[in-house]
Amino acid sequence: MTIYVVEIPHQMPPVAWAAKDEAELIAKVNADNAGVVYERMTVRDLIDQYGEDDEQVADLARRYDPETVLYRADYLIGEGEYTTEVVSEYDAAVAAIGHDLHTAMIFTGEAEARAALAADENWALHQGLQAREALRDLLG
């Protein structure tokens, strides 16, 4: 299943790109972003990595058992924040894609992308016509 992404920045021209699957999309997003896109670790892992003197780690150690799994996804839940709620790596990557854009459009398959191209209302937005062309060019 190919995933099609249309990125519409605030000022630069729109860009369309594709990933062959979720794993490839996640790898590209990780390579393109400086922040923590996704991290899954236990409280014990945090203590081992940052030490017990780190204020945030100490607070998490007080609140949770050492084997509690924590998730961090800077673009999804907030920079440097941890949660015990399960966070999907794909959802974290999707949030990272759109973090500094006017709009990000993601289509999970060629049929969905082509259907979106055919619907004029999808493109009635900032740089919509250019974004539509970028996707059309990508799809060939």
Side-chain angles (χ1 to χ4, degrees):
M1 163 197 62
T2 301
I3 301 168
Y4 297 89
V5 178
V6 178
E7 297 180 356
I8 305 173
H10 297 283
Q11 296 180 7
M12 300 297 290
V15 175
W17 55 276
K20 69 179 179 183
D21 56 23
E22 288 184 7
E24 186 175 278
L25 181 137
I26 290 166
K28 179 179 177 9
V29 170
N30 281 324
D32 291 349
N33 286 279
V36 175
V37 175
Y38 177 84
E39 187 175 75
R40 179 187 183 278
M41 56 186 6
T42 64
V43 173
R44 184 181 314 283
D45 294 334
L46 285 172
I47 293 169
D48 291 346
Q49 184 171 348
Y50 298 107
E52 294 178 359
D53 294 335
D54 181 281
E55 188 176 313
Q56 183 181 23
V57 172
D59 179 54
L60 291 167
R62 279 191 297 278
R63 293 188 308 167
Y64 302 110
D65 178 87
E67 299 310 316
T68 299
V69 174
L70 299 173
Y71 298 87
R72 178 176 169 187
D74 285 359
Y75 303 105
L76 184 62
I77 61 173
E79 188 173 344
E81 297 295 320
Y82 289 90
T83 183
T84 57
E85 292 182 35
V86 176
V87 173
S88 132
E89 189 170 11
Y90 178 76
D91 290 344
V94 167
I97 290 169
H99 86 277
D100 195 27
L101 297 174
H102 181 276
T103 306
M105 304 170 91
I106 298 176
F107 306 104
T108 55
E110 185 174 345
E112 184 179 335
R114 290 197 182 280
L117 275 177
D120 290 339
E121 64 272 8
N122 291 333
W123 310 101
L125 51 99
H126 171 71
Q127 298 195 75
L129 295 178
Q130 297 94 326
R132 189 181 208 176
E133 267 317 298
L135 180 59
R136 188 182 325 263
D137 289 348
L138 178 65
L139 289 168

